[in-house]
Amino acid sequence: MSYASTSNLSHPVTRGEGLLYLVEERPNPSTDYFVLPAVAQSGLRVVRCDFSDLPLAADLEGAAVVFVRYVPSSWIKLVDAVRPMLSALVYFMDDDLLDARVTSGMSWRYRFKLARLATWRSAWLHHQGAELWVSTPYLQQKYAAWHAQLVLPSPITAPSGVCSVFYHGSSSHAAEIRWLRPVIEEALRCEERLAFGIVGGQEVYHLYRGLPRVNVMHPMSWSAYQHLLSMPGRHIGLAPLMDTSFNRARSYTKFFDFTRCEAVGIYSPNGACAGVIKDGVNGMIAELRQDAWIEAILKLAHDETLRQSMLHNAKVSADELADKAKLGYSGLLKQSYANKP
């Protein structure tokens, strides 16, 4: 078996010299596991483009172009115009995307997508003299007539210093979920190490769709949520609270949730949690302004020492509140027995 050769990618000339345009629908595992490690050996500077990112024709002179899985029509027109100027043209697939028969039984929407962006592009790729890169020996053997070259996957290096922010409000917090959307968008834009998790259904998914590094989890039972909190890897919990009659009756249990999963909380000044939080000591209190919450998130994300100090203090506070609760329970029982006839 042979690895994908990048020898054809090492001789760009003139304006596009040293450039490789990598065309993908969006960031995806095919690119990260296979294509990026392969093209890294070429020494070319990679420019990642989605379907709408079209360089000028002049910028492609001497450059290489690699299509990952799909070939969009906008790029077909561009390549048709500049093909003689390209140093290399490559199509990579990690599924059998060029044989319509193998998709039998899949949803018609997905089959149509594959046909439109991959299967029906086979003749065009042949006509343009594109190299074919594939992900498995099976595909290399099946497309041997095309001289398919095998690209083996490489491990992905985990991002360093990832900081996980989360909001775990139920559907009763629809206003807070909408209010947080621009806060999260700006925080993610300012700090690439941030990732955001939120609980919600389709409405929440569509609201946050398009933001990078966002995970929308389906609503879950209380038992399942307790297991979720026991999993490590969360750092900043968000508890904004709109000033409504319903919210005024809420207690400070979110403080316990955050502390249990080793996270530092950011809280509204009008909520019950503010009554047990010393700002900057065992959590943060931020005015209910979106710029204030963006600032608070970034401050905690950038200062791990501060987070650890607040988390330690939050655990101490949680223990103190537990002791206070025990005293209250004792008093309740005594009062109940005293009131018996």
Side-chain angles (χ1 to χ4, degrees), residues 50-72:
D50 63 27
F51 289 178
S52 62
D53 291 330
L54 290 176
L56 298 174
D59 293 335
L60 288 171
E61 186 175 357
V65 173
V66 177
F67 291 110
V68 180
R69 291 179 58 90
Y70 305 127
V71 183

Side-chain angles (χ1 to χ4, degrees), residues 107-242:
S107 71
W108 71 266
R109 289 181 182 275
Y110 188 59
R111 295 190 73 189
F112 181 68
K113 175 183 178 179
L114 296 186
R116 180 172 56 87
L117 293 172
T119 312
W120 296 345
R121 305 304 195 200
S122 179
W124 179 83
L125 289 166
H126 271 291
H127 178 72
Q128 296 293 350
E131 298 179 45
L132 177 63
W133 291 0
V134 295
S135 61
T136 62
Y138 170 82
L139 290 172
Q140 186 183 35
Q141 182 176 3
K142 180 171 180 176
Y143 293 94
W146 197 336
H147 306 291
Q149 299 185 72
L150 179 64
V151 181
L152 295 180
S154 293
I156 297 174
T157 302
S160 60
V162 171
C163 184
S164 175
V165 184
F166 62 93
Y167 178 71
H168 290 167
S170 66
S171 58
S172 65
H173 288 284
E176 285 83 3
I177 290 170
R178 290 191 298 269
W179 184 86
L180 273 174
R181 177 30 168 96
V183 172
I184 298 306
E185 180 176 13
E186 180 62 13
L188 292 173
R189 188 192 67 81
C190 292
E191 177 52 74
E192 292 187 354
R193 295 183 304 111
L194 285 181
F196 180 63
I198 188 169
V199 174
Q202 284 297 313
E203 184 176 349
V204 176
Y205 171 78
H206 287 295
L207 180 62
Y208 282 83
R209 184 174 60 181
L211 296 186
R213 307 184 301 282
V214 170
N215 178 35
V216 179
M217 295 170 284
H218 285 289
M220 63 198 79
S221 68
W222 173 242
S223 176
Y225 183 60
Q226 291 299 294
H227 284 284
L228 178 69
L229 290 181
S230 68
M231 297 178 184
R234 292 176 179 81
H235 304 101
I236 302 172
L238 305 181
L241 209 59
M242 302 292 108

Side-chain angles (χ1 to χ4, degrees), residues 2-3 8 54 63 67 96 99 109 179 182 198 223 259 292 314 317:
S2 62
Y3 289 85
N8 290 344
L54 290 176
F67 291 110
D96 194 353
D99 186 347
R109 289 181 182 275
W179 184 86
I198 188 169
S223 176
T259 305
S317 297

Side-chain angles (χ1 to χ4, degrees), residues 8-21 44-45 56-65 82-89:
N8 290 344
L9 305 180
S10 59
H11 304 291
V13 294
T14 64
R15 189 165 180 173
E17 183 176 355
L19 294 180
L20 184 147
Y21 290 89
L44 302 181
R45 182 167 67 87
L56 298 174
D59 293 335
L60 288 171
E61 186 175 357
V65 173
V82 302
R83 181 62 182 103
M85 299 191 301
L86 298 178
S87 64
L89 180 65

